[in-house]
Amino acid sequence: MKRVLLLPLLALLSLQPAHATPSDDISMYAVSLVGSPYRLGGTSPQTGLDCSGFVGHVFKQTTGILLPRDSRTISEAAQPLDQTELQPGDLVFFNTLNRSYSHVGIYLGDDRFVHAASSRTGGVMVSNLGDRYWRQRFDGARRVISSSPARPLDVPYE
């Protein structure tokens, strides 16, 4: 992704209301990781992230919520919602490996989402839900809701 495109996105996200919400924190931190390297199984921006490691890292750092380690289990732990209900900080899921919920990203608003793409396409990047590739593979949206931050959601870790 070109840095020129990242600057307007950061500027838009920085125009937060005086009372920032957790979803603002999630979006801002997630975008700050754009350019971090991809690594299968990775959970650290310094050494590399895969998609679920990226989402888990962002939620742990911004909300204290510990998410399951794989995208399918994250989808099962979060609340389903219609695509029309998406808000910044919600999760978007895709079928990228010929299996449902095999890829996850964080919704930013205006049909954009941030995710750790494969090593073939780079690291953490912003993409558009309207792009043909993502539109054809969209599996659904979810919202992470936890009554007790800083605690894991009640699902088994794999």
Side-chain angles (χ1 to χ4, degrees), residues 87-144:
Q87 296 177 13
D90 288 338
L91 302 179
V92 286
F93 292 88
F94 305 90
N95 179 339
T96 58
L97 299 173
N98 289 323
R99 44 176 218 271
S100 298
Y101 303 99
S102 54
H103 188 69
V104 61
I106 298 171
Y107 186 69
L108 298 172
D110 295 325
D111 277 347
R112 292 172 302 188
F113 68 101
V114 60
H115 60 118
S118 70
S119 56
R120 180 179 49 92
T121 57
V124 176
M125 62 190 293
V126 175
S127 296
N128 193 303
L129 288 173
D131 290 348
R132 184 177 178 200
Y133 180 86
W134 298 112
R135 187 176 63 244
Q136 291 178 339
R137 290 164 175 79
F138 185 76
D139 267 343
R142 302 282 191 269
R143 184 164 294 148
V144 174

Side-chain angles (χ1 to χ4, degrees), residues 50-71:
D50 66 9
C51 68
S52 59
F54 167 71
V55 168
H57 173 79
V58 169
F59 272 81
K60 182 179 177 186
Q61 294 300 312
T62 58
T63 68
I65 295 172
L66 302 176
L67 294 176
R69 187 53 194 95
D70 68 276
S71 57

Side-chain angles (χ1 to χ4, degrees), residues 20-94:
T21 65
S23 65
D24 294 329
D25 293 341
I26 292 166
S27 299
M28 289 292 290
Y29 185 63
V31 169
S32 78
L33 297 175
V34 167
S36 296
Y38 177 87
R39 184 171 64 90
L40 183 62
T43 58
S44 164
Q46 292 75 29
T47 59
L49 300 152
D50 66 9
C51 68
S52 59
F54 167 71
V55 168
H57 173 79
V58 169
F59 272 81
K60 182 179 177 186
Q61 294 300 312
T62 58
T63 68
I65 295 172
L66 302 176
L67 294 176
R69 187 53 194 95
D70 68 276
S71 57
R72 175 172 271 301
T73 310
I74 293 171
S75 76
E76 294 167 354
Q79 176 184 345
L81 57 128
D82 192 79
Q83 189 172 357
T84 60
E85 299 174 289
L86 274 169
Q87 296 177 13
D90 288 338
L91 302 179
V92 286
F93 292 88
F94 305 90

